[in-house]
């Protein structure tokens, strides 16, 4: 059974992926992303853990994501596996909205992200 502490930790972990200081911190991402992580992005691209790690840290990189994440929910699959869902709202040239889902697995070292998917929402 998930505790309130688990729910808060998962929310903070998911939000950390939308903050430049943690998203572009290689050591942090190595801890958070599972060795077999992959993603189907909102843009339709597929990313592996290696591709995610290859993003260069750019100090001036700004992620204009609305936090807290909208409609954030944790759906238990098993005691050590959860599906997190939410709606992302990110301002680039225009507002980009996406339905998001993340599969998190509890390991002896903490929660790790195994899979993420973003689906565009038009309008």
């Amino acid at each position: 059974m998930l505790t309130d502490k688990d729910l808060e930790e998962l929310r903070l972990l998911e939000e950390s992926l939308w903050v430049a200081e943690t998203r572009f911190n290689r050591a942090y991402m190595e801890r958070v992303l599972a060795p077999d992580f992959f993603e189907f992005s909102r843009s339709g691209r597929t990313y592996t853990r290696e591709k995610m790690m290859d993003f260069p840290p750019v100090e001036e990189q700004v992620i204009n994501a609305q936090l807290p994440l909208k409609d954030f929910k944790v759906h238990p699959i098993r005691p050590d596996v959860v599906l997190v869902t939410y709606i992302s709202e990110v301002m680039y040239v225009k507002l980009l909205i996406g339905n998001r889902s993340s599969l998190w697995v509890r390991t002896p070292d903490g929660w790790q992200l195994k899979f993420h998917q973003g689906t565009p929402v038009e309008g």
Side-chain angles (χ1 to χ4, degrees), residues 14 18 69-72 84-88 98-100 116:
E14 195 70 51
W18 293 97
L69 298 168
K70 187 176 180 180
D71 203 23
F72 183 88
V84 168
T85 59
Y86 59 94
I87 298 169
S88 64
N99 287 321
R100 302 283 180 161
H116 180 79

Side-chain angles (χ1 to χ4, degrees), residues 14-32:
E14 195 70 51
E15 288 183 355
S16 75
L17 301 173
W18 293 97
V19 176
E21 291 79 16
T22 43
R23 171 63 188 86
F24 297 105
N25 178 318
R26 186 176 181 92
Y28 179 81
M29 294 299 286
E30 285 176 351
R31 283 191 313 274
V32 171

Side-chain angles (χ1 to χ4, degrees), residues 89-105:
E89 296 180 336
V90 182
M91 181 57 77
Y92 290 108
V93 175
K94 66 177 188 171
L95 181 65
L96 300 177
I97 300 171
N99 287 321
R100 302 283 180 161
S101 62
S102 296
L103 188 66
W104 290 89
V105 176

Side-chain angles (χ1 to χ4, degrees), residues 10-113:
L10 288 159
R11 184 186 63 77
L12 291 173
L13 281 165
E14 195 70 51
E15 288 183 355
S16 75
L17 301 173
W18 293 97
V19 176
E21 291 79 16
T22 43
R23 171 63 188 86
F24 297 105
N25 178 318
R26 186 176 181 92
Y28 179 81
M29 294 299 286
E30 285 176 351
R31 283 191 313 274
V32 171
L33 298 182
D36 56 350
F37 167 84
F38 70 103
E39 172 180 345
F40 297 139
S41 74
R42 184 189 177 284
S43 66
R45 295 182 188 98
T46 300
Y47 292 98
T48 62
R49 184 179 196 272
E50 292 73 30
K51 283 183 184 176
M52 295 295 281
M53 293 297 172
D54 286 344
F55 283 125
V58 180
E59 287 183 29
E60 56 276 350
Q61 178 72 37
V62 176
I63 302 173
N64 293 313
Q66 179 67 41
L67 297 177
L69 298 168
K70 187 176 180 180
D71 203 23
F72 183 88
K73 293 186 177 106
V74 176
H75 311 271
I77 307 293
R78 295 191 326 226
D80 59 345
V81 179
V82 298
L83 179 68
V84 168
T85 59
Y86 59 94
I87 298 169
S88 64
E89 296 180 336
V90 182
M91 181 57 77
Y92 290 108
V93 175
K94 66 177 188 171
L95 181 65
L96 300 177
I97 300 171
N99 287 321
R100 302 283 180 161
S101 62
S102 296
L103 188 66
W104 290 89
V105 176
R106 188 189 330 249
T107 72
D109 298 322
W111 292 100
Q112 286 194 319
L113 183 58

